[in-house]
């Protein structure tokens, strides 16, 4: 599909890309196939798609025989989704709703089959972090998440210990992220300002780290990352109201250097640090 073709196609349906909804449509057939391949979508798979838009990725998921729930916020796409449904009556279900609010867990729980659902989507970039956090935080978690993100975001999420951001830790706690391939801006219409990447996260069946309390863990993390460029001993004392002696004791017992900055810690160190802070507070 060329940009001109899509432009005319949209115009003939009285549509045009809405930037506030992050609408950049995928026009590169190879990239579309690569996404579905990366997600290893096969007949009978349950798939959640966020932001089907004109349904170009949706159609490929359906052609592979998947059972798709597509959640689209923009009601302008209703006629196109209805048209797609004609070809896939039994396997497509779509909802006009905000994917961040919609209770898709209930729907997937109601379907037969042991395997969990897969998320496959070209998500709007302005809410990438929110969408990932929502998908990783739900009680009935997906088996995998294959999405397009900005290339820099995919790099950030797949970083190694020593360069872990708050988002990278949030993801790597629950699964293994892989940057499958980069995607040039020209694969989209309209072309975004940045290059993109296909990011796949395989969620752990048995989480590597057992957290006593997820909320508390992320509370400590957020407090420390609020002082991203500052050394940890300062941030811990200032943002978590701990005394100098408490901070010294904590860092000594976890083997973390007082001069370390938050992005230098491993997930293991964050887990032990947050558990120890909690114990201190309980005293
Ligand atoms: N899947 C299509 C469209 C991707 S553009 C393609 O690849 O070509 C992103 C899509 O997400 C748009 O259709 C946009 O309307 C939709 N969207 C934006 N915010 C959303 C939200 N909160 N919930 C569901 N869909 C959303």
């Amino acid at each position: 599909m060329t940009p001109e073709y899509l432009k005319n196609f949209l115009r003939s349906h009285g549509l045009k890309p809405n930037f506030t909804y992050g609408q950049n449509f995928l026009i590169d057939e190879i990239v579309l196939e690569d996404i579905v391949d990366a997600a290893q979508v096969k007949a009978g798979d349950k798939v959640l798609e966020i932001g089907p838009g004109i349904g170009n990725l949706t159609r490929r998921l359906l052609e592979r025989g998947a059972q798709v729930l597509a959640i689209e916020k923009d009601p302008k796409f209703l006629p196109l989704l209805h048209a797609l449904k004609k070809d896939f009556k039994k396997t497509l279900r779509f909802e006009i709703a905000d994917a961040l609010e919609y209770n898709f867990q209930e729907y997937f729980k109601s379907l037969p089959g042991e395997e969990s659902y897969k998320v496959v989507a070209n998500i709007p970039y302005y809410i990438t972090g929110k969408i990932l956090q929502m998908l990783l935080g739900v009680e009935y978690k997906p088996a995998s998440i294959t999405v397009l993100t900005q290339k820099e975001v995919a790099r950030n999420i797949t970083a190694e210990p020593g360069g872990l951001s708050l988002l990278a830790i949030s993801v790597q706690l629950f699964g293994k992220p892989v940057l499958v391939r980069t995607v040039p801006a020209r694969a989209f219409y309209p072309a975004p300002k940045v290059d993109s990447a296909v990011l796949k996260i395989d969620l752990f069946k048995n989480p590597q780290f057992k957290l006593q309390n997820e909320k508390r863990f992320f509370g400590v993390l957020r407090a420390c990352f609020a002082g991203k460029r500052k050394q940890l001993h300062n941030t811990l004392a200032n943002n978590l109201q701990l005394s100098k002696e408490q901070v010294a004791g904590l860092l000594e017992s976890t083997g973390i250097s007082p001069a370390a900055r938050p992005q230098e810690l491993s997930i293991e160190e964050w887990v032990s640090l947050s558990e120890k802070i909690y114990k201190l507070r309980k005293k």
Side-chain angles (χ1 to χ4, degrees):
M1 209 192 282
T2 64
E4 288 70 36
Y5 177 87
L6 183 61
K7 199 171 163 184
N8 290 328
F9 173 84
L10 290 171
R11 194 183 291 148
S12 70
H13 286 83
L15 299 167
K16 62 174 191 283
N18 181 339
F19 289 101
T20 56
Y21 280 174
Q23 290 172 3
N24 298 96
F25 304 99
L26 258 174
I27 52 175
D28 189 312
E29 311 287 331
I30 294 169
V31 175
L32 282 162
E33 284 300 319
D34 284 354
I35 295 169
V36 183
D37 283 341
Q40 295 173 296
V41 175
K42 55 184 191 312
D45 276 358
K46 307 163 200 169
V47 172
L48 169 64
E49 190 194 0
I50 295 172
I54 55 172
N56 45 357
L57 178 59
T58 325
R59 176 174 285 280
R60 282 181 170 72
L61 295 166
L62 292 162
E63 281 169 352
R64 297 264 176 122
Q67 184 82 37
V68 178
L69 170 63
I71 307 175
E72 171 57 58
K73 190 170 176 179
D74 190 343
K76 276 189 320 201
F77 297 113
L78 257 177
L80 290 173
L81 293 170
H82 273 297
L84 187 59
K85 172 113 184 141
K86 283 202 184 107
D87 294 339
F88 299 96
K89 278 194 195 70
K90 290 217 178 97
T91 47
L92 172 61
R93 171 167 163 175
F94 60 82
E95 297 290 339
I96 298 297
D98 184 336
L100 291 169
E101 311 283 335
Y102 188 82
N103 186 357
F104 53 84
Q105 296 182 72
E106 207 159 304
Y107 171 70
F108 285 113
K109 274 187 195 163
S110 76
L111 295 179
E114 288 296 295
E115 254 176 80
S116 188
Y117 58 101
K118 295 172 176 173
V119 179
V120 188
N122 173 16
I123 53 175
Y125 291 174
Y126 73 106
I127 43 171
T128 300
K130 270 196 185 151
I131 289 180
L132 290 179
Q133 260 147 11
M134 179 276 287
L135 292 170
L136 296 163
V138 293
E139 179 237 330
Y140 182 39
K141 295 197 193 333
S144 64
I145 301 171
T146 307
V147 287
L148 279 147
T149 65
Q150 294 184 21
K151 191 163 80 184
E152 287 318 309
V153 174
R155 290 235 168 95
N156 167 336
I157 290 173
T158 52
E160 305 278 332
L164 294 180
S165 65
L166 181 52
L167 183 59
I169 296 167
S170 319
V171 171
Q172 295 185 20
L173 199 57
F174 298 104
K176 178 153 185 44
V178 177
L179 192 160
V180 177
R181 61 158 290 176
T182 57
V183 179
R186 62 171 183 277
F188 302 85
Y189 172 80
K193 288 201 179 67
V194 290
D195 283 335
S196 301
V198 177
L199 174 77
K200 182 177 190 199
I201 306 164
D202 277 307
L203 275 81
F204 301 128
K205 288 217 172 67
N206 304 302
Q208 292 181 307
F209 303 99
K210 281 260 181 287
L211 295 178
Q212 306 280 355
N213 182 325
E214 252 173 52
K215 234 175 150 178
R216 204 168 66 215
F217 176 78
F218 284 107
V220 169
L221 230 66
R222 268 194 293 273
C224 291
F225 272 94
K228 216 157 107 184
R229 275 166 211 87
K230 296 202 187 100
Q231 300 185 346
L232 218 53
H233 67 105
N234 282 327
T235 325
L236 284 168
N238 297 337
N239 296 5
L240 288 163
Q241 287 85 43
L242 296 165
S243 71
K244 279 216 157 43
E245 294 69 39
Q246 285 175 316
V247 171
L250 273 172
L251 293 173
E252 166 111 52
S253 66
T254 45
I256 299 167
S257 155
R261 289 166 218 275
Q263 60 275 20
E264 289 164 358
L265 268 55
S266 67
I267 296 185
E268 232 158 342
E269 287 172 322
W270 282 117
V271 173
S272 81
L273 188 64
S274 70
E275 296 301 327
K276 287 197 166 127
I277 291 174
Y278 181 65
K279 279 194 194 128
L280 260 182
R281 291 244 166 105
K282 269 210 316 209
K283 272 186 198 155

